[in-house]
Amino acid sequence: MRARSAMAVAALTALVLTLPVTTASAAPATPRALTVGPGQATAPGAFVPIGLTRALDTRSHQENPAGAARKLQPGESFDVPLSAWQNHPPRELPVVPADATAVVVNVTATNTTAAGYLTVRRDGAVPGAPVTSTLDFEAGETVSNMITVAVDPRGANSSPQINVYNNAGTTDVVVDILGYYAPSTPQRPGHKYDPVRPTRLADTRVEGGRLGRGGVVTADVARRDLGTADATAVVLNVTAVDPSTEGFVVAHPSSWPLPAEGSHLNYGPGRTVANQVVVPVGPEGTIEFFNTGSTDLVVDIVGYYGPSGHNLYSAVTEQARLLDTRPGAGAWAFSTLEFPVAGRAGVPDNATAVTLNVTATEPQADGHLAVFAADEAGRPGTSNLNFNAGRTVANGVAAQLGGNPGSVAVHHHSAGSTQVIADLTGWFVQG
């Protein structure tokens, strides 16, 4: 694998989001709920974290299964083997095993030539354009998002694969593997998941001060008070707030070196950016966030994997739309809407949490969304998705279910209305 160039990655990565981190209360809005998709899912699996491992970079012939540097074309459906690439001698090194059921990846679109979207999915052989999207982009911008997706075991060279669909224009695509779900074995023990109440772990605006180039924030993620003392991996929402330069953030266990390439969070001047990440936890129980530009940094925890976890994960084989406020007024200013999840799109009644891809579109003003269990006592002081007026953005979300039936609440913190979309990618059940 190629060594990462800081300048190259900084040029690759820039997202356009904003994050006001305060919240407000208002009367609930009434959502329009719907379901699309057959509701089929993979067998429940445990999680195996692997850190950042590059599977695709269309800008490089060395990291492209096509064997040449080339962009995705409009309407193209591109298969991505879940492998790393070695140059000497040239060969594919499988990263995700043949019995894996789902994979967690960070996907980036860059060098885009038209407004459009990418959809990351299991099977590219499904005819027509996908009914859901993973990330949306404008011409000339770079956008990233983390998603969990069922894998297709029929990839070449016995390597499972996923598929990336490009809606419009031409774009380069980068895919980094963060981990996968599979049955546990003595040789490869996976761990189960437990959600935690969304909790802020670090905020440099409150403590520590703004980060400069080479700055590091350390967060204690293995904590008894959160129930995460034995965590082997954690699910975090990481935000760069009001950056003044281009840059990126890499998260890794404190005892591990920086990954050779890849990043978790990418930003540009004046653009607040958030992304959900999954990071392994080392024996010291802390994670370092290495920064290359100038920005404030916010870190929130939403869940963990470990020996004391209780839940296995099933990924849907075809992503399902659970919520779409279009057509209509959308989410009202400073409102909270709820929508049922359990019992819909194949989600079992005993599901404890879900993974979603949440999109804010047609926002009338800057703001953010906070996603949490519907019956949670008090809204958590965290956020999941951040947007600017007139811009469409998406972010992966792991949300605990609450109420009867199990439901999700979305708080909309903005002075204007926003259309909100939530697509189901999978669920957790005790097992």
Side-chain angles (χ1 to χ4, degrees), residues 46-256:
F47 184 67
V48 180
I50 61 173
L52 280 168
T53 303
R54 180 139 300 170
L56 171 69
D57 186 343
T58 62
R59 302 166 303 168
S60 168
H61 73 279
Q62 298 173 351
E63 295 176 325
N64 190 336
R70 72 169 187 85
K71 301 170 77 172
L72 267 64
Q73 302 301 302
E76 182 176 8
S77 191
F78 192 83
D79 289 333
V80 182
L82 297 172
S83 307
W85 302 89
Q86 178 176 293
N87 299 332
H88 304 293
R91 60 174 177 161
E92 180 182 345
L93 301 174
V95 172
V96 175
D99 63 345
T101 56
V103 66
V104 182
V105 293
N106 202 58
V107 181
T108 302
T110 190
N111 300 323
T112 57
T113 61
Y117 63 85
L118 295 181
T119 300
V120 183
R121 55 185 178 169
R122 176 182 184 268
D123 189 359
V126 177
V131 297
T132 62
S133 62
T134 302
L135 59 84
D136 299 81
F137 51 79
E138 299 292 331
E141 77 176 4
T142 299
V143 181
S144 297
N145 195 11
M146 192 196 87
I147 188 170
T148 304
V149 59
V151 302
D152 186 345
R154 299 170 297 173
N157 301 324
S158 300
S159 174
Q161 67 183 25
I162 56 176
N163 182 267
V164 179
Y165 172 85
N166 177 43
N167 160 254
T170 62
T171 181
D172 279 309
V173 178
V174 178
V175 177
D176 291 320
I177 306 170
L178 306 182
Y180 61 88
Y181 293 93
S184 287
T185 67
Q187 296 75 28
R188 188 198 59 217
H191 285 133
K192 298 179 182 180
Y193 176 80
D194 270 351
V196 301
R197 175 178 170 82
T199 302
R200 184 139 294 170
L201 300 180
D203 187 343
T204 62
R205 299 167 302 173
V206 177
E207 182 179 1
R210 189 176 182 85
L211 294 176
R213 182 177 180 85
V216 174
V217 169
T218 301
D220 184 1
V221 297
R223 292 170 37 179
R224 293 189 180 277
D225 61 320
L226 295 177
T228 61
D230 65 346
T232 56
V234 287
V235 183
L236 308 169
N237 205 65
V238 183
T239 306
V241 180
D242 193 26
S244 58
T245 66
E246 288 192 345
F248 61 89
V249 175
V250 181
H252 64 96
S254 297
S255 59
W256 293 18

Side-chain angles (χ1 to χ4, degrees), residues 16-17 50 111 154 184 212 225 241 245 266 277 285 301 303 307 311 316 334-335 389 428:
V16 183
L17 302 173
I50 61 173
N111 300 323
R154 299 170 297 173
S184 287
D225 61 320
V241 180
T245 66
N266 312 279
V277 304
I301 187 170
N311 299 280
V316 296
F334 305 108
S335 65
F428 293 93

